[in-house]
Amino acid sequence: MWYVPDASKDAKLIYGLGKNCTEEEVRTAIEQGTLMNYLQQVPVKKDDLFFIKAGTIHAIGAGVLVAEIQESSNLTYRLYDYDRVGKDGKKRELHVDKALEVANLSSSAEPRQSLRVLKYRKGVASELLTRCKYFEVYRMLVNTERRQTVHYHADEVAFRVLLCVNGCGTISFEGGNITFYKGDCIFVPADSEVLSIHGQVQFLDVRG
């Protein structure tokens, strides 16, 4: 899942293919440096959400900041790398054969932003962003007054991760507190004690 905390004007990302392709067509395009002609470029703006199924060719364009939530895997197959070179002057390794074994080469429907509904309670609002068998993600907006706090805890089923995508604040627990800022990621163990959150902040609340 990609959530876009920020994006510049006219920013785009790659989401699948613009038309059905054969493996041979893709290989030829990679060799000739024309792969971009086959990829679907999608305009993005702040707060957009994209759920990307395994096998979908995807890439982040210039001027796009994304928070990526995924199943427990760091496996990436690189089809193309814009002919960039690293600090050592060499291009990064491509994994064309392995990628084409698993890539979906059918055209992808242009992703549309689904309706999202915020639910409010005192000091906090939340909305479900996505749910699949590997994870579920909520967007949580905390806005507390000087003495007000929002209570939060992880149940016995799984840990939680709070990713701060905007704002700042503090999380208090028995024996101390943590100050957090935009970009910080907070791990909350399963069956946690009740935490108190104070501040003006937007989280991605990730449940494994």
Side-chain angles (χ1 to χ4, degrees), residues 94-166:
L94 300 182
H95 316 96
V96 176
D97 291 336
K98 291 181 178 180
L100 290 177
E101 287 181 7
V102 297
N104 179 3
L105 300 184
S106 299
S107 63
S108 297
E110 183 174 343
R112 298 184 181 276
Q113 297 300 311
S114 59
L115 178 65
R116 288 152 41 185
V117 179
L118 276 172
K119 297 182 179 180
Y120 295 87
R121 58 185 176 89
K122 190 173 183 180
V124 64
S126 65
E127 61 179 352
L128 175 65
L129 296 183
T130 193
R131 177 185 285 138
C132 66
K133 69 178 181 178
Y134 299 107
F135 55 79
E136 59 184 36
V137 183
Y138 293 78
R139 186 168 72 113
M140 184 168 69
L141 295 90
V142 175
N143 187 2
T144 58
E145 300 174 355
R146 181 173 297 178
R147 295 183 180 180
Q148 186 182 32
T149 58
V150 169
H151 298 301
Y152 180 92
H153 80 285
D155 58 27
E156 297 178 358
V157 176
F159 65 85
R160 305 271 183 93
V161 173
L162 293 175
L163 174 59
C164 178
V165 294
N166 201 18

Side-chain angles (χ1 to χ4, degrees), residues 14-64:
I14 302 298
Y15 186 97
L17 296 171
K19 63 178 182 179
N20 295 338
C21 292
T22 65
E23 183 177 321
E24 184 176 339
E25 285 177 320
V26 175
R27 287 184 183 275
T28 300
I30 294 171
E31 292 171 0
Q32 296 179 350
T34 59
L35 183 62
M36 292 295 293
N37 296 337
Y38 295 84
L39 303 177
Q40 178 175 230
Q41 298 190 53
V42 180
V44 296
K45 62 183 185 302
K46 184 178 179 180
D47 290 329
D48 276 354
L49 174 72
F50 300 90
F51 186 79
I52 304 167
K53 293 183 179 180
T56 303
I57 298 171
H58 57 284
I60 304 167
V64 183

Side-chain angles (χ1 to χ4, degrees), residues 157-192:
V157 176
F159 65 85
R160 305 271 183 93
V161 173
L162 293 175
L163 174 59
C164 178
V165 294
N166 201 18
C168 60
T170 59
I171 290 182
S172 301
F173 49 92
E174 185 177 352
N177 62 73
I178 296 172
T179 301
F180 59 84
Y181 302 92
K182 181 178 179 180
D184 286 344
C185 191
I186 301 156
F187 180 86
V188 183
D191 197 22
S192 71

Side-chain angles (χ1 to χ4, degrees), residues 76-112:
T76 298
Y77 291 145
R78 193 175 299 114
L79 276 175
Y80 180 64
D81 198 34
Y82 307 96
D83 295 322
R84 294 179 295 189
V85 296
K87 293 180 179 180
D88 59 359
K90 298 179 180 179
K91 295 181 181 180
R92 291 199 295 179
E93 181 185 3
L94 300 182
H95 316 96
V96 176
D97 291 336
K98 291 181 178 180
L100 290 177
E101 287 181 7
V102 297
N104 179 3
L105 300 184
S106 299
S107 63
S108 297
E110 183 174 343
R112 298 184 181 276

